[in-house]
Amino acid sequence: AQSVAQPEDQVNVAEGNPLTVKCTYSVSGNPYLFWYVQYPNRGLQFLLKYITGDNLVKGSYGFEAEFNKSQTSFHLKKPSALVSDSALYYCAVRDIGRDDKIIFGKGTRLHILP
Amino acid sequence: GAGVSQSPSNKVTEKGKDVELRCDPISGHTALYWYRQRLGQGLEFLIYFQGNSAPDKSGLPSDRFSAERTGESVSTLTIQRTQQEDSAVYLCASSLAWTGAGNTIYFGEGSWLTVV
């Protein structure tokens, strides 16, 4: 069965600095990988996804993520953090070729310090 | 519809009462998910419907929880004899079937349940 791990409960970054939110996954086949963001008192919003092709995926709000098959990772990145990026971020995985549910990580809370 | 719609947006109920939460998925989406999110916690998978297949109920925490879906449209999550630990946001999401280009799931704004 597929699984996804977000090893950090919280990440603190100074405004203007680059940020990374880590995600590793485990699937039996090839993965579909997703990042979602949740702002306070809101539902989850889709940020970006990796299906195939270029390992660097660009998404909303200046975020990008790099798929690394050998390390089974899909870390979320942004070159310059904004205070408004402070939110809860979820990584998710779905196993290609399986009619199966999407599995979410436990989430990482990102704090951007002014 | 344009997005996933959930109702009620807020519900306060007395311990021991039954509640029903409704989800209207995006039109044409055959897959539908329910998740629970307790205050300050991550997402907890509850149940997954995919087309006419038997639902994946592996996440339902107890037999007080059940869910139904009519065809490929509305779903209802029912919690019987509510307990205070059921207080949470219940999130519904939908997507196209897995066949195709890595179908994104889209979330509703959630139903906030408070059991007093």
Side-chain angles (χ1 to χ4, degrees):
Chain A
Q2 65 264 42
S3 65
V4 60
Q6 293 181 245
E8 303 153 317
D9 290 335
Q10 181 168 311
V11 172
N12 297 321
V13 177
E15 186 176 24
N17 283 2
L19 69 87
T20 299
V21 183
K22 295 180 180 177
C23 172
T24 58
Y25 66 90
S26 173
V27 295
S28 56
N30 291 315
Y32 290 146
L33 293 156
F34 305 82
W35 276 101
Y36 286 80
V37 60
Q38 186 178 33
Y39 297 103
N41 302 318
R42 302 297 303 276
L44 276 71
Q45 297 178 33
F46 169 73
L47 270 182
L48 52 80
K49 66 183 178 183
Y50 171 81
I51 305 304
T52 187
D54 289 341
N55 290 339
L56 187 63
V57 178
K58 294 186 183 297
S60 307
Y61 312 121
F63 283 93
E64 58 189 27
E66 186 169 12
F67 171 64
N68 187 317
K69 188 172 183 178
S70 63
Q71 296 185 4
T72 61
S73 67
F74 189 57
H75 301 332
L76 181 70
K77 300 181 180 182
K78 187 173 181 179
S80 179
L82 300 173
V83 172
S84 57
D85 293 329
S86 298
L88 190 56
Y89 290 81
Y90 288 97
C91 182
V93 67
R94 195 176 202 178
D95 202 343
I96 293 176
R98 287 175 55 83
D99 187 8
D100 207 348
K101 57 186 177 288
I102 288 179
I103 298 297
F104 283 81
K106 62 179 175 63
T108 298
R109 192 165 296 279
L110 179 63
H111 285 288
I112 307 302
L113 308 171
Chain B
V4 178
S5 177
Q6 292 189 245
S7 62
S9 54
N10 285 284
K11 174 75 175 178
V12 179
T13 189
E14 292 181 352
K15 179 180 173 181
K17 301 283 189 183
D18 297 352
V19 296
E20 285 189 351
L21 307 176
R22 177 188 169 104
C23 174
D24 279 282
I26 293 172
S27 179
H29 281 192
T30 58
L32 187 146
Y33 305 76
W34 283 99
Y35 293 88
R36 179 169 70 178
Q37 186 177 34
R38 291 193 169 113
L39 186 64
Q41 303 292 313
L43 290 177
E44 179 183 358
F45 166 76
L46 296 178
I47 188 168
Y48 165 57
F49 296 91
Q50 172 58 292
N52 295 320
S53 301
D56 180 343
K57 303 180 181 180
S58 60
L60 294 178
S62 76
D63 59 7
R64 295 188 296 106
F65 287 73
S66 62
E68 294 184 348
R69 188 179 187 192
T70 307
E72 295 181 352
S73 60
V74 172
S75 175
T76 302
L77 177 69
T78 301
I79 308 173
Q80 296 178 311
R81 305 181 303 281
T82 51
Q83 304 294 314
Q84 288 185 329
E85 63 262 27
D86 299 334
S87 296
V89 178
Y90 290 83
L91 291 164
C92 178
S94 72
S95 77
L96 295 169
W98 69 270
T99 51
N103 298 302
T104 302
I105 69 171
Y106 296 92
F107 283 82
E109 291 294 313
S111 290
W112 293 72
L113 175 66
T114 302
V115 181
V116 297

